[in-house]
Amino acid sequence: MTDPARDAASLPGRTGSDYPAPFDAPCAARVRRALGDAFGLNDFGVNLLELPPGSWSSQRHWHSHEDEFVYVLEGNPTLVTDAGRRRLAPGMVAGFPAGQADGHQLVNETDRPVRLLEVGGRKPAVDDTDYPDIDMRYDSAAGGYLRRDGTP
């Protein structure tokens, strides 16, 4: 039986993103620790996301079949959505329902680190992701990133 409690800092972190170049550059310094994976969670994912100054959580995006929820632990990230930019503070939350075509991202525009909890669904077999600001989308049927015209 595995230990049901862990120190989050002891779990492995993944630096950067799997976006193709040049879209990976703004996310290159982010560190994501997959907290839910440590316990074999299958219905939802929980990540501890660390954004050094100048880092982005992601390219601005929205999901077809996965809800997303963010809780700010430390720092003041800027939430960017179709409605504009909004500075967040520790204790604030943000939620993004599946299928709502409102691209979102968090950007650390401060000189201090940002730490967030991210919670989301786990439906990779059916979830497509749209990136409204760039010529990219994630197509689950194709299993990867494509340009808007469908080319890799």
Side-chain angles (χ1 to χ4, degrees), residues 57-72:
S57 63
S58 62
Q59 291 288 339
R60 207 166 69 88
H61 69 286
W62 61 274
H63 293 274
S64 65
H65 289 81
E66 292 187 9
D67 292 334
E68 287 184 278
F69 175 86
V70 175
Y71 179 85
V72 180

Side-chain angles (χ1 to χ4, degrees), residues 35-37 40-47 118-123:
L35 306 180
D37 289 355
L41 300 183
N42 295 309
D43 290 337
F44 61 92
V46 181
N47 298 310
E118 300 173 308
V119 180
R122 292 189 184 231
K123 298 177 185 173

Side-chain angles (χ1 to χ4, degrees), residues 13-19 23-33 48-58 108 113-114:
R14 181 172 162 253
T15 301
S17 75
D18 62 354
Y19 294 145
F23 306 125
D24 60 338
C27 304
R30 76 176 189 194
V31 178
R32 181 171 277 138
R33 297 180 195 284
L48 175 61
L49 180 63
E50 300 167 3
L51 297 176
S55 295
W56 296 7
S57 63
S58 62
N108 185 356
V114 166

Side-chain angles (χ1 to χ4, degrees), residues 126-145:
V126 298
D127 186 51
D128 296 325
T129 309
D130 185 74
Y131 299 86
D133 297 337
I134 57 178
D135 184 18
M136 188 171 80
R137 63 188 176 89
Y138 184 87
D139 186 302
S140 59
Y145 294 102

